[in-house]
């Protein structure tokens, strides 16, 4: 058995204590603080005004809440049971409405047409796309080093820093440096004097005619990778060049080391991983506990296999279904090291990619082989052998 104290309500159904308790507490606490600390009639008058305003605000909020209630609530209830009954009914009606709305939404979604996959080669064929990919691949490697080894210590007089890339023919803007933040720039051509350009092409620093721009090339062993431009509202002098020149040489060495490493691990014609790197990576993978599968693709009587493979590598990596990327074993033979979690996604992607290649007028006849670690019985050589055997079976099947 339990007892519950019901609140006393006025004629409008509102509990007066809820309306006046907060202002009353506020008044007495503030008055007590004034009385014991520092009492003044001005402070007391301000306290009365504040308490009155607080009471009026609470009263207005109470009136607004009453006006927003449905008419059925404003009429009042003789007992609490009637109120609970109506609340249950409203809750039941709301649930039925929500359920009906969700069913209609599910039906509408089910009737929608399937989302069309975005075309890989929008306004470009594989040959054009390959040229763009190869150019961007080399550029991204150079820019990666520039960002990793930027000019961190700059004098206050420097207002802007621009990094530019040289593709062997032309210079183009890459990004601006704002402290330690890099802001990407459109690949705009550089607007500069012929004198400054000739100096940079000759692998030398240059100060503009107005002495406010300093161009420092990134160069080593007669290789020119780009330049960095320092702008100031003041002027530069020849003695300030040396520090920037020495720092640019350090960055150029890092760029050169990166490109030389790429030449060791990748095929310089396609920038895909080479066969020697394939065996090194797969051996390390085999000794690990990762669950991975080898895939090998053989293009048969297919023109432009190099271009198709480069595009396959590019779009597969951008969709995250190709792991490290393609390994070029030989001219028409490519391999992939795939985590088992990517097999399903890769299969769907590969099917869509080849279908689009065919639709563009590049029919691709190819064979595919698979080799899983489970079938290798703990032997690396058997893992590789099974891969080639699986590919041979696919070639014979296609020939039949």
């Amino acid at each position: 058995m339990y007892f519950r104290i019901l609140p006393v309500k006025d004629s409008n159904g509102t509990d007066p204590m809820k309306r006046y308790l907060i202002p009353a507490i506020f008044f007495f606490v503030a008055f007590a603080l004034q009385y014991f600390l520092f009492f003044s009639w001005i402070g007391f008058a301000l306290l009365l005004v504040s308490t009155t305003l607080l009471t009026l605000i609470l009263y207005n909020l109470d009136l607004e809440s009453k006006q927003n209630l449905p008419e059925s609530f404003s009429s009042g209830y003789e007992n609490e049971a009637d109120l609970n009954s109506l609340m249950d009914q409203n809750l039941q009606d709301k649930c039925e409405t929500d359920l009906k709305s969700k069913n209609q939404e599910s039906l509408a979604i089910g009737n929608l047409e399937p989302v069309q996959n975005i075309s890989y080669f929008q306004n470009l064929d594989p040959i054009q796309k390959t040229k763009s990919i190869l150019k961007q691949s080399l550029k991204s490697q150079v820019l990666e080093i520039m960002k990793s080894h930027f000019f961190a210590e700059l004098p206050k007089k420097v207002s802007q820093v621009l990094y530019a890339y040289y593709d062997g023919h032309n210079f183009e803007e890459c990004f601006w440096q704002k402290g330690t933040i890099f802001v990407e720039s459109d690949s705009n051509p550089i607007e500069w004097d012929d004198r400054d350009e000739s100096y940079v092409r000759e692998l030398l620093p240059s100060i503009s005619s107005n002495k406010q721009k300093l161009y420092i090339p990134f160069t080593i062993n007669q290789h020119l990778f780009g330049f960095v431009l320092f702008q100031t509202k003041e002027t530069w002098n020849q003695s300030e060049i040396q520090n920037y020149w020495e720092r640019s040489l350090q960055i150029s060495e890092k760029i050169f080391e990166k490109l030389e490493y790429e030449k060791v691990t990748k095929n310089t014609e396609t920038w895909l991983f080479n066969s020697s790197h394939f065996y090194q990576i797969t051996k390390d993978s085999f000794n690990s506990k990762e669950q991975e599968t080898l895939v090998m693709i053989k293009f048969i009587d297919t023109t432009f296999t190099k271009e198709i493979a480069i595009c396959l590598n590019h779009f597969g990596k951008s969709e995250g279904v190709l792991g490290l990327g393609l390994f070029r074993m030989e001219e028409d033979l490519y391999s992939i090291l795939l985590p088992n979690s990517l097999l399903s996604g890769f299969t769907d992607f590969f099917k869509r990619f080849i279908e689009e290649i065919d639709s563009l007028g590049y029919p691709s006849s190819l064979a595919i082989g698979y080799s899983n670690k489970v079938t290798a019985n703990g032997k690396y050589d058997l893992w590789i052998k099974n891969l080639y055997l699986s590919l041979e079976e696919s070639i014979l099947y296609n020939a039949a």
Side-chain angles (χ1 to χ4, degrees), residues 67-87:
Q67 293 173 359
N68 292 332
L69 285 174
E71 294 181 359
S72 58
F73 278 85
S74 62
S75 60
Y77 292 90
E78 295 181 358
N79 54 62
E80 190 178 1
D82 294 337
L83 178 60
N84 291 335
S85 176
L86 183 62
M87 291 180 66

Side-chain angles (χ1 to χ4, degrees), residues 308-363:
I308 294 174
I310 292 172
C311 291
L312 176 68
N313 182 71
H314 173 77
F315 291 115
K317 292 182 73 173
S318 65
E319 287 203 13
V321 295
L322 213 60
L324 296 175
L326 258 65
F327 295 83
R328 192 187 193 212
M329 309 302 290
E330 52 189 67
E331 187 174 356
D332 296 326
L333 187 63
Y334 300 87
S335 188
I336 313 166
L337 177 64
L338 282 179
N340 289 352
S341 59
L342 296 182
L343 279 175
S344 177
F346 167 75
T347 303
D348 295 337
F349 156 74
F350 188 74
K351 182 175 181 292
R352 284 193 293 119
F353 179 85
I354 295 301
E355 287 176 351
E356 186 169 339
I357 287 288
D358 288 345
S359 67
L360 293 173
Y362 298 89

Side-chain angles (χ1 to χ4, degrees), residues 106-158:
S106 301
L107 182 61
I109 293 175
N111 291 332
L112 287 177
E113 295 182 359
V115 178
Q116 297 295 326
N117 291 317
I118 299 176
S119 172
Y120 293 117
F121 301 94
Q122 300 182 36
N123 304 321
L124 286 175
D125 65 14
I127 309 303
Q128 292 175 305
K129 186 62 180 178
T130 297
K131 293 178 181 179
S132 173
I133 291 172
L134 290 177
K135 178 182 177 181
Q136 185 61 36
S137 175
L138 183 61
K139 177 181 176 181
S140 61
Q141 294 173 59
V142 173
L143 299 187
E144 179 185 345
I145 300 300
M146 288 184 182
K147 287 184 178 181
S148 301
H149 302 82
F150 61 95
F151 289 83
E153 298 178 1
L154 294 171
K156 293 182 179 179
K157 65 187 266 183
V158 175

Side-chain angles (χ1 to χ4, degrees), residues 153-170:
E153 298 178 1
L154 294 171
K156 293 182 179 179
K157 65 187 266 183
V158 175
S159 56
Q160 288 183 318
V161 181
L162 170 67
Y163 292 78
Y165 171 72
Y166 181 64
D167 62 4
H169 303 283
N170 302 304

Side-chain angles (χ1 to χ4, degrees), residues 27 41 51 55 72 85 175 204 259 267 274 276 280 318 338 373 377 394-395 397:
F27 175 81
W41 288 107
T51 305
T55 304
S72 58
S85 176
F175 54 88
L204 296 172
L259 296 181
N267 177 274
N274 55 31
S276 60
Q280 176 186 341
S318 65
L338 282 179
K373 282 185 181 181
N377 295 326
S394 179
I395 294 173
Y397 177 82

Side-chain angles (χ1 to χ4, degrees), residues 30-45 47:
F31 179 77
L33 291 174
Q34 281 194 7
Y35 182 81
F36 290 106
L37 297 178
F38 179 78
F39 179 81
S40 70
W41 288 107
I42 296 176
F44 182 73
L47 176 60

Side-chain angles (χ1 to χ4, degrees), residues 92-109:
Q92 182 178 357
D93 294 342
K94 187 178 184 303
C95 290
E96 292 178 356
T97 303
D98 291 344
L99 182 59
K100 182 177 180 181
S101 175
K102 289 181 179 179
N103 289 336
Q104 291 176 349
E105 183 180 352
S106 301
L107 182 61
I109 293 175

Side-chain angles (χ1 to χ4, degrees), residues 131-290:
K131 293 178 181 179
S132 173
I133 291 172
L134 290 177
K135 178 182 177 181
Q136 185 61 36
S137 175
L138 183 61
K139 177 181 176 181
S140 61
Q141 294 173 59
V142 173
L143 299 187
E144 179 185 345
I145 300 300
M146 288 184 182
K147 287 184 178 181
S148 301
H149 302 82
F150 61 95
F151 289 83
E153 298 178 1
L154 294 171
K156 293 182 179 179
K157 65 187 266 183
V158 175
S159 56
Q160 288 183 318
V161 181
L162 170 67
Y163 292 78
Y165 171 72
Y166 181 64
D167 62 4
H169 303 283
N170 302 304
F171 295 89
E172 59 183 43
E173 294 183 6
C174 294
F175 54 88
W176 296 87
Q177 178 184 339
K178 306 290 184 181
T180 58
I181 299 174
F182 300 101
V183 180
E184 299 295 334
S185 172
D186 294 333
S187 298
N188 301 317
I190 306 298
E191 297 181 1
W192 53 354
D193 296 335
D194 293 339
R195 171 185 169 277
D196 296 325
E197 182 177 359
S198 64
Y199 265 77
V200 173
R201 287 184 180 273
E202 292 172 7
L203 315 181
L204 296 172
S206 176
I207 297 178
S208 62
S209 56
N210 63 4
K211 308 293 185 180
Q212 293 183 343
K213 295 182 179 180
L214 173 61
Y215 299 89
I216 302 290
F218 292 115
T219 176
I220 191 170
N221 296 344
Q222 299 301 307
H223 293 284
L224 179 60
F225 307 114
F227 68 82
V228 59
L229 165 62
F230 302 99
Q231 296 188 39
T232 175
K233 294 180 180 179
E234 302 177 23
T235 57
W236 295 100
N237 54 62
Q238 292 292 337
S239 62
E240 293 177 300
I241 294 180
Q242 189 63 31
N243 288 335
Y244 294 108
W245 181 238
E246 292 177 357
R247 177 59 180 149
S248 72
L249 290 176
Q250 296 175 5
I251 297 176
S252 299
E253 288 178 0
K254 297 294 183 181
I255 295 174
F256 186 74
E257 291 173 1
K258 172 71 173 177
L259 296 181
E260 288 299 305
Y261 176 77
E262 293 292 320
K263 290 180 181 179
V264 173
T265 60
K266 293 185 178 180
N267 177 274
T268 55
E269 183 183 4
T270 61
W271 287 102
L272 303 177
F273 290 114
N274 55 31
S275 57
S276 60
H277 195 55
F278 167 80
Y279 290 109
Q280 176 186 341
I281 291 296
T282 53
K283 196 157 191 177
D284 292 339
S285 170
F286 189 80
N287 293 328
S288 71
K289 295 182 180 180
E290 297 294 331

